[in-house]
Amino acid sequence: MPTPLVVARDIDASYGEGRLATPVLRGASFTLERGTLTAVTGQSGSGKTTLLSLLGGLDRLQRGSIVVDGSDLAALSRAALSAYRRAQVGFVFQAFHLLAHLTARENVETALVPLGVTRPERRRRVALALERVGLGALGERFPQQLSGGEQQRVAVARACVKEPLLLLADEPTGNLDDESAGPVLELIRGERGTRTVVVVTHDAEVATGADRRLVVAHHRVEEAACAPR
């Protein structure tokens, strides 16, 4: 049986510090299989985004372990955790977080510069990434010249161009209308198999077609039935 890409055991996380700390996760455990798409659902404030931040190395655990491809994130130094985020994790957020002074092509290229990829190779990979999200002809446009759906597709291209192990999407269609959301969802779902995808969502439609659904509730992470594909 293949080893899961992610194994989380007895993880604790809180908001705030000391006596003002508010528990978010307590003793939560789960696994993520390689190449799967997992939808994470739960009420607002339940800890879904915290869970994603822990997987992405943006937040530190208080207790427990998250092992990704054999590496325990809790044991990594700051430098090693930063390298993990740069090379192994692609993030897609509800807000597009594109740099207004850079073109779509340049925004995607920013994901490769810290990895030491040569300029010719960066240009080749960026062109392929933009073609894959259907924006090959719009690479020289600035964010303000793109629709919301197009901007989010640029963000997906930026997250995937470095070929990460994990693609983490936090409410990726939350700022989009239904017409724009559909193509973005299909792109994210299409990454399943190539990489392990985790999507945090309030929307049952977004969770449709996931291989697994995890529910964050009462400080725990529980398995739930998936919506049919």
Side-chain angles (χ1 to χ4, degrees):
M1 184 174 179
T3 304
L5 177 68
V6 176
V7 179
R9 289 285 179 264
D10 299 321
I11 61 176
D12 287 0
S14 298
Y15 291 127
E17 298 180 357
R19 290 180 300 174
L20 299 178
T22 300
V24 180
L25 298 172
R26 285 288 177 265
S29 299
F30 61 92
T31 61
L32 297 176
E33 303 299 326
R34 295 174 188 270
T36 57
L37 169 62
T38 298
V40 179
T41 62
Q43 294 183 348
S44 295
S46 62
K48 302 185 301 299
T49 294
T50 296
L51 180 61
L52 216 64
S53 295
L54 292 170
L55 288 172
L58 295 172
D59 290 340
R60 286 278 195 176
L61 286 171
Q62 293 174 313
R63 188 179 72 87
S65 66
I66 296 179
V67 178
V68 181
D69 200 30
S71 295
D72 186 349
L73 300 188
L76 296 181
S77 66
R78 286 185 178 224
L81 197 60
S82 179
Y84 163 76
R85 288 194 300 268
R86 286 196 305 268
Q88 303 297 349
V89 185
F91 295 98
V92 180
F93 300 102
Q94 181 173 338
F96 317 130
H97 295 308
L98 301 181
L99 298 174
H101 65 284
L102 298 182
T103 64
R105 175 184 57 78
E106 291 167 336
N107 267 283
V108 176
E109 192 172 359
T110 60
L112 296 176
V113 173
L115 302 182
V117 179
T118 64
R119 179 172 291 182
E121 178 64 9
R122 292 201 308 262
R123 293 297 178 92
R124 185 189 72 82
R125 288 170 64 173
V126 169
L128 288 174
L130 287 172
E131 286 288 347
R132 186 168 184 177
V133 300
L135 298 176
L138 304 182
E140 298 309 313
R141 290 194 182 182
F142 291 91
Q144 61 269 29
Q145 297 172 315
L146 300 171
S147 69
E150 289 168 342
Q151 290 184 62
Q152 191 64 302
R153 282 190 274 159
V154 172
V156 172
R158 180 182 57 192
C160 296
V161 71
K162 58 186 176 181
E163 300 175 357
L165 285 174
L166 276 172
L167 176 61
L168 306 179
D170 192 359
E171 297 286 357
T173 60
N175 285 344
L176 303 178
D177 58 33
D178 290 344
E179 184 176 354
S180 300
V184 170
L185 283 178
E186 287 308 308
L187 288 171
I188 291 173
R189 289 170 180 156
E191 293 298 318
R192 171 177 39 203
T194 304
R195 58 198 98 260
T196 301
V197 184
V198 182
V199 181
V200 163
T201 182
H202 287 93
D203 189 341
E205 176 62 24
V206 176
T208 299
D211 299 302
R212 300 176 67 202
R213 184 162 70 94
L214 298 177
V215 178
V216 183
H218 309 297
H219 313 312
R220 310 287 289 193
V221 179
E222 305 289 348
E223 189 99 21
C226 286
R229 295 186 190 179

